[in-house]
Amino acid sequence: MKKITKIVLGLIVLASTTLAASDGAALYKKCIGCHGANGEKQALGKSQVIKGWEESKTISALKGYKVGTYGGAMKGLMKGQVSSLTEEQIKSLAKHIATLK
C-alpha cells in the first residue's frame, strides 16, 4: 500500500510540474527581461515588438527559431531560448503573448 501511495504522489507532483511548465504566463517570465512585461520592448533593441502578436505568428516564429529557419540578429540567442520548449509549451506561450496589450 505504501508503494502505491508513493507512486501516486509522485505522479501528482510530476503532473503539477508539467501543468505549471505549460502555463503561458509562467513560461513568459523568461522573456520579460528582453521583451518587457507586456511584450512592449524590442529585445536588445533589435527585435520586433511582440505585444499582441496573433498566436499563429508567434507559433511560427518560435518554431522557426527552434529549427534555425527564422530570425535575423536575434536568431542565435532565440534558438537557445526556445530549444527546450515542447509543442504544447510553444502553443501556451503564443496564447499568452496574444493577450498582451
Side-chain angles (χ1 to χ4, degrees):
M1 185 68 171
K2 286 184 180 182
K3 187 174 184 176
I4 293 173
T5 303
K6 286 181 181 180
I7 292 171
V8 170
L9 287 174
L11 290 173
I12 290 170
V13 169
L14 179 63
S16 65
T17 302
T18 302
L19 289 174
S22 296
D23 177 50
L27 290 168
Y28 187 74
K29 288 180 181 179
K30 287 176 45 178
C31 311
I32 290 173
C34 294
H35 289 283
N38 294 307
E40 75 281 2
K41 295 181 181 178
Q42 287 183 307
L44 304 176
K46 297 180 182 186
S47 75
Q48 297 179 38
V49 172
I50 61 170
K51 181 178 187 172
W53 272 19
E54 292 182 13
E55 286 181 51
S56 60
K57 182 175 181 177
T58 301
I59 289 169
S60 178
L62 293 176
K63 285 182 176 181
Y65 278 128
K66 190 171 182 172
V67 298
T69 60
Y70 181 87
M74 305 309 289
K75 189 177 193 172
L77 176 67
M78 283 299 298
K79 183 175 175 100
Q81 294 297 315
V82 301
S83 63
S84 65
L85 293 177
T86 65
E87 181 82 20
E88 181 182 321
Q89 290 172 323
I90 288 173
K91 288 178 183 177
S92 294
L93 188 53
K95 183 174 243 172
H96 176 72
I97 290 170
T99 69
L100 299 175
K101 304 292 178 203

